[in-house]
Amino acid sequence: FSPLDLKPDGKYHTLKVTLKNAKGMELQVRKGYYAPNHAADPAEKSRQEIVEAVFSRNEVHDLPATLQTQYFKTGDADATLAAIANVDVKKLNFRKEGGRNLDNLTVVTGIFDNDGNYVSGVQKTVELRLLDDTLEKHLGSGMAVKSSFAVHTGKYVVRLVVRDSEGQLMAEQSSLVEIP
């Protein structure tokens, strides 16, 4: 639940949730929530957007990024799962300062089991401070960020969220992986 017109007043707000035709079902809900008593700062707002995106099922491609997965077995029931985020740096909105092209990429990779339960995740921040020559080299190949996870055999959903600090663009995507 995310209220559309949240007022940062610090007050308790009640919620009412009902089900039509609730025969045989049990409803478990909170009775309300406390609103924050101040507006979120930009860093907190960014962090919250990333968290919401990781647990979402939406696909967003504002920022051109792709997700590749691979695994290798480390035992009969164990494996290492690698998730590689490839970001096309041509679309990033770099800020020029001191002869360098600046931007920060936040790359979050989350692993969910076949039932949608969160298993593991990692967040990496890539600080880009590129000279013009270095930026030119990355224009063709992009940037790759790899995260690895120890998992057991089974089916997983790998969730990738990438956000850049300058343009505040996001990429959100999921990939299914089955480790036999």
Side-chain angles (χ1 to χ4, degrees):
F1 169 73
S2 294
L4 296 176
D5 55 350
L6 177 67
K7 295 180 180 128
D9 57 10
K11 294 181 180 178
Y12 185 79
H13 299 271
T14 58
L15 295 173
K16 181 180 179 183
V17 180
T18 59
L19 284 176
K20 292 183 180 181
N21 302 325
K23 287 185 177 180
M25 297 203 166
E26 184 178 316
L27 188 61
Q28 201 174 48
V29 298
R30 291 174 35 188
K31 295 183 189 276
Y33 67 95
Y34 284 97
N37 58 6
H38 63 285
D41 66 12
E44 176 60 24
K45 184 178 177 187
S46 171
R47 188 192 70 75
Q48 188 61 36
E49 286 176 357
I50 291 169
V51 168
E52 289 174 6
V54 169
F55 289 93
S56 169
R57 297 282 184 231
N58 294 336
E59 295 277 325
V60 175
H61 300 284
D62 296 337
L63 182 65
T66 59
L67 171 63
Q68 294 177 311
T69 59
Q70 56 191 29
Y71 68 89
F72 64 92
K73 300 278 284 197
T74 57
D76 288 342
D78 299 319
T80 297
L81 174 61
I84 302 143
N86 293 297
V87 181
D88 184 353
V89 296
K90 288 182 259 185
K91 304 294 184 184
L92 296 178
N93 295 312
F94 288 98
R95 178 173 40 94
K96 194 79 163 181
E97 186 178 297
R100 294 193 178 262
N101 300 284
L102 309 178
D103 199 354
N104 292 335
L105 292 178
T106 301
V107 180
V108 179
T109 308
I111 307 294
F112 297 84
D113 68 15
N114 198 38
D115 295 325
N117 298 311
Y118 177 78
V119 174
S120 183
V122 65
Q123 176 174 317
K124 296 183 178 185
T125 302
V126 180
E127 294 182 2
L128 301 173
R129 310 287 182 258
L130 306 175
L131 294 169
D132 289 339
D133 291 343
T134 308
L135 178 58
E136 282 296 319
K137 290 177 188 173
H138 285 291
L139 287 178
S141 61
M143 302 285 298
V145 179
K146 181 179 179 180
S147 300
S148 296
F149 303 90
V151 296
H152 301 294
T153 57
K155 294 180 183 180
Y156 296 93
V157 173
V158 180
R159 182 78 175 151
L160 172 69
V161 175
V162 180
R163 187 178 196 281
D164 85 308
S165 63
E166 292 300 317
Q168 300 180 4
L169 299 174
M170 290 185 68
E172 305 172 30
Q173 56 188 285
S174 300
S175 179
L176 297 173
V177 176
E178 183 173 357
I179 301 172

